[in-house]
Amino acid sequence: MNKSLKVNAANNESMPDNKKENRPETYQTEKLEFSDNAFKKGFQSVVFTIFRCSAALNGFALAIVVYFMAANGLKAITWTFLTQSPTDSMTKGGILPCIVGTVCLSLGAILIAFPIGVASAIYLNEYARPGRMLRMIRLGINNLAGVPSVVFGLFGLAFFVVWMNMGVSILAGALTLAAMSLPVIIGSTEEALRAVPDTYREASLGLGATKWQTIFRVVLPAAMPGVLTGGILGISRAAGETAPIMFTAAVFYTPYLPSSPFDEIMALPYHIYVLATAGTEIEATRHLQYGTAIVLIALVLGMNLAAIIYRAKLRKKMS
Amino acid sequence: MKTNSKNTDRVIQSIFFMIALASIMILFMISVFLFMEGIPILNHVSIFDFIFGEYWYPTSDPPDFGIYPLIIGSIATTFVSALISIPLGVMTAVYLAEIASAKFREIVKPMVELLAALPSVVIGFFGMVVMAPFLQDHFDIATGLNLFNASLMLGFMSIPTICSISEDAIYSVPNNLKEASLALGATHLETITRVILPASISGISTAVILGMSRAIGETMVVLMVAGGAAMAPASIFDPVRPLPASIAAEMAEAPFRGEHYAALFATGIVLFLFTFTFNIVADYISNKYRQVGDSTL
């Protein structure tokens, strides 16, 4: 008795004539050949190619933007461009005040937002129990993340600049940016805390440590690299935003570098916008615009790239 | 000693709780101050005339404060950008989660993240100096700064949001669903369209809503690229003036605490309510239809 398994009854005639060997323990299998299989395969590969193209398109879009900025902007980058103030009503000279301003604003924002964000994430991930309160807080954070940047600008103007009487200043801008980057920091800190295995916590608690000691001495140090990555992402987000600082911190032009938190300043993103739309000679300052843009891109993408690479390394280590 | 450390722990916990409330507090303060500065406009126009008034001439005498053309501008740009970002974002997510080789994935995923990190002013600048002249030359239109250009830029800005949230949703579909489908003889494509996508539809809808919320609130791109005409667009190549663009462009000139100032804050309220609604809906969907095991199919 031949034990070979006949899979395809329709193709019986075409079955190879190797039954004579009669090896009872081996199963002979045959590929299913439905008439529309070839079509399905072809269709699938066409669709998958479309998917692949759409994925590649993202990288392509990024490359095009960076390429155009770099191709036109790199020649504007000189030592004077990076270390001088704008001159001749912003048609010549450099962008030093803008660089300093952006650094001040984003560092200020992160100094305020980082402790608050990390503490919020610790509460959410380590202390909070599921329930109505937790739902409310999460909803609040999600909504805060969705508030349009220009609305943050309005809020900063009404609250920090006018109501708290800070005036158009670094402090007001940094506070506004801090409110905006808070969700970014909370999100990535939570991810870092979640990645710490529960055995760490159990071991610490089992040794008699209190909850706080466990968090401060065990969980946080283990999560620190991930938390710092979140901080970097927060800085880069704050550095690139324009609308929140338009009414709260940035001005068209100021010849001085800031000397106190209550000074108004220039900032890279706002400088690009001003030169490109409201400058006295828009066409003549094109190279300055490209130059400023490439500096901003280098700053923001550089920080992001560093964070991404670092995080990828961490994930590999953890898994 | 023991009670002491317990007490300390309780104090610490409540401090953390207070800090965690900061986000809600900020959100609350945002709405309070928007309403405080924006409500006075109702002394000058009725709420109906403000929202459905067809003329936005805030600086003429007497001024007209009707934000209907601005709302239409915002909705139009968001809608057209969604036509670009939803298919591209979801397809990229499917590709990354289901089809891509590990190598390709490792290249494309950071690319998408970097696309999200590009400052909006740079994208706006790109739209102005590269895309606008290109459109003007190749489509024979009056100005390259228009609805289509702005939507294109916005579309590419919201792809990363849509893609990363959808990818999470697709990735978290239980493997046994996929295996069952493949074992029944379905092709990979059939498995994706009939099993994986239906199973992750709530996550994908959340992603789409959040992506559109990002597009409607985005400021610099529409400020620089949309053209700035406060009229309801008749064609896709007409210039428009979405809500955020109007706020950002006019706030500097509006007299402090004047009618115009209040009108811009009121515009901010409308914009805030738009994104707030989007976010609440997204949250509702992701909680209500949250995937719990295989039983949700």
Side-chain angles (χ1 to χ4, degrees):
Chain A
M1 176 70 201
N2 186 358
K3 270 197 164 186
S4 69
L5 191 69
K6 292 177 191 169
V7 180
N8 197 337
N11 282 0
N12 250 352
E13 303 92 69
S14 68
M15 269 181 65
D17 199 13
N18 56 356
K19 292 172 190 170
K20 288 165 197 159
E21 289 183 9
N22 241 342
R23 279 157 51 187
E25 293 310 315
T26 53
Y27 290 90
Q28 183 188 348
T29 58
E30 198 177 328
K31 218 172 174 189
L32 284 160
E33 283 300 340
F34 293 111
S35 55
D36 59 343
N37 251 8
F39 170 74
K40 272 186 182 170
K41 276 245 171 78
F43 184 63
Q44 171 169 311
S45 67
V46 168
V47 173
F48 281 7
T49 310
I50 295 176
F51 281 22
R52 178 191 287 261
C53 289
S54 75
L57 198 59
N58 293 299
F60 187 62
L62 178 73
I64 282 197
V65 173
V66 174
Y67 166 76
F68 269 100
M69 296 301 136
N72 293 297
L74 282 180
K75 54 180 179 283
I77 308 280
T78 57
W79 185 242
T80 23
F81 184 70
L82 296 176
T83 56
Q84 275 197 349
S85 291
T87 51
D88 301 80
S89 58
M90 299 208 288
T91 54
K92 288 192 181 107
I95 52 167
L96 180 65
C98 311
I99 298 177
V100 173
T102 290
V103 170
C104 286
L105 279 175
S106 41
L107 282 184
I110 211 69
L111 283 180
I112 301 160
F114 190 69
I116 300 178
V118 172
S120 301
I122 289 178
Y123 178 79
L124 292 174
N125 204 57
E126 303 292 324
Y127 285 111
R129 302 211 171 81
R132 190 176 283 259
M133 201 62 223
L134 185 63
R135 281 261 298 127
M136 284 292 291
I137 295 178
R138 284 208 188 281
L139 190 61
I141 294 170
N142 287 343
N143 266 302
L144 193 65
V147 171
S149 53
V150 73
V151 171
F152 274 111
L154 288 178
F155 165 67
L157 172 66
F159 184 53
F160 298 122
V161 175
V162 176
W163 198 75
M164 295 193 39
N165 218 354
M166 291 177 189
V168 173
S169 61
I170 296 180
L171 188 59
L175 283 166
T176 312
L177 288 174
M180 199 199 64
S181 43
L182 197 54
V184 179
I185 296 171
I186 295 178
S188 44
T189 307
E190 269 206 273
E191 193 198 336
L193 291 176
R194 265 199 297 270
V196 177
D198 269 340
T199 45
Y200 282 36
R201 296 183 182 86
E202 284 153 13
S204 167
L205 291 171
L207 286 172
T210 63
K211 182 111 188 166
W212 166 242
Q213 287 167 332
T214 305
I215 292 170
F216 194 67
R217 306 232 181 114
V218 177
V219 179
L220 262 189
M224 213 35 164
V227 175
L228 290 180
T229 315
I232 299 175
L233 291 178
I235 296 184
S236 85
R237 171 101 202 263
E241 276 293 344
T242 321
I245 58 170
M246 274 175 121
F247 325 132
T248 56
V251 289
F252 279 78
Y253 174 67
T254 163
Y256 309 108
L257 294 180
S259 56
S260 93
F262 293 99
D263 285 349
E264 47 187 32
I265 45 150
M266 298 174 79
L268 288 171
Y270 191 57
H271 194 61
I272 299 174
Y273 168 66
V274 166
L275 285 184
T277 60
T280 38
E281 284 168 68
I282 293 177
E283 287 301 330
T285 58
R286 258 318 170 232
H287 63 289
L288 294 183
Q289 299 162 19
Y290 276 115
T292 317
I294 199 72
V295 171
L296 182 62
I297 290 182
L299 202 68
V300 170
L301 290 197
M303 280 194 279
N304 267 279
L305 206 57
I308 288 172
I309 292 171
Y310 190 48
R311 201 177 46 195
K313 265 190 189 161
L314 277 181
R315 279 185 185 151
K316 244 176 217 162
K317 217 199 251 170
M318 282 295 215
S319 57
Chain B
M1 183 66 196
K2 198 173 179 189
T3 46
N4 204 356
S5 70
K6 251 188 182 164
N7 278 340
T8 331
D9 236 35
R10 202 166 295 152
V11 172
I12 291 174
Q13 173 164 3
S14 33
I15 292 175
F16 275 107
F17 175 65
M18 303 292 261
I19 298 176
L21 288 181
S23 302
I24 295 190
M25 275 305 296
I26 296 173
L27 200 62
F28 177 71
M29 299 282 270
I30 289 177
S31 30
V32 166
F33 275 87
L34 281 183
F35 277 96
M36 207 173 80
E37 301 283 353
I39 288 297
I41 191 63
L42 295 182
N43 297 332
H44 305 283
V45 290
S46 72
I47 214 170
F48 185 86
D49 286 344
F50 182 69
I51 293 176
F52 293 105
E54 281 181 36
Y55 300 103
W56 175 257
Y57 295 116
T59 49
S60 59
D61 191 31
D64 282 309
F65 296 114
I67 59 168
Y68 182 71
L70 313 183
I71 295 180
I72 294 299
S74 265
I75 292 177
T77 41
T78 307
F79 180 74
V80 179
S81 77
L83 293 184
I84 300 164
S85 61
I86 294 175
L88 280 179
V90 174
M91 284 198 292
T92 307
V94 169
Y95 187 78
L96 288 179
E98 281 295 320
I99 307 166
S101 63
K103 207 172 174 190
F104 195 79
R105 191 182 146 93
E106 254 170 51
I107 300 170
V108 172
K109 245 194 124 169
M111 284 279 191
V112 175
E113 283 177 48
L114 285 181
L115 192 63
L118 269 185
S120 53
V121 69
V122 169
I123 297 184
F125 182 60
F126 176 82
M128 244 176 109
V129 297
V130 180
M131 194 50 91
F134 176 82
L135 288 177
Q136 221 165 329
D137 291 348
H138 289 79
F139 288 84
D140 193 31
I141 43 181
T143 168
L145 301 176
N146 55 31
L147 173 59
F148 177 73
N149 191 350
S151 304
L152 197 63
M153 299 294 125
L154 284 182
F156 274 95
M157 291 195 73
S158 36
I159 285 177
T161 311
I162 296 181
C163 177
S164 64
I165 304 176
S166 312
E167 202 214 332
D168 282 346
I170 294 168
Y171 204 76
S172 64
V173 171
N175 241 343
N176 48 9
L177 287 181
K178 189 177 158 187
E179 283 158 6
S181 166
L182 290 174
L184 285 172
T187 62
H188 196 176
L189 179 62
E190 286 166 340
T191 307
I192 289 173
T193 51
R194 304 211 190 141
V195 177
I196 291 176
L197 284 183
S200 53
I201 195 69
S202 78
I204 294 177
S205 332
T206 309
V208 165
I209 296 171
L210 290 180
M212 288 173 71
S213 162
R214 167 133 203 230
I216 206 169
E218 177 50 50
T219 311
M220 295 319 288
V221 167
V222 291
L223 176 60
M224 297 170 85
V225 177
M231 287 180 299
S235 101
I236 198 173
F237 292 117
D238 277 357
V240 288
R241 189 183 191 88
L243 297 164
S246 183
I247 301 174
E250 294 165 30
M251 192 41 110
E253 295 128 45
F256 178 62
R257 294 244 161 108
E259 296 170 24
H260 191 185
Y261 183 86
L264 291 178
F265 269 92
T267 312
I269 298 176
V270 174
L271 187 60
F272 181 65
L273 289 180
F274 262 115
T275 54
F276 193 76
T277 318
F278 274 127
N279 282 290
I280 296 281
V281 171
D283 185 78
Y284 178 78
I285 292 179
S286 70
N287 273 300
K288 170 114 184 178
Y289 303 101
R290 197 205 319 254
Q291 179 146 1
V292 229
D294 317 344
S295 56
T296 36
L297 253 195

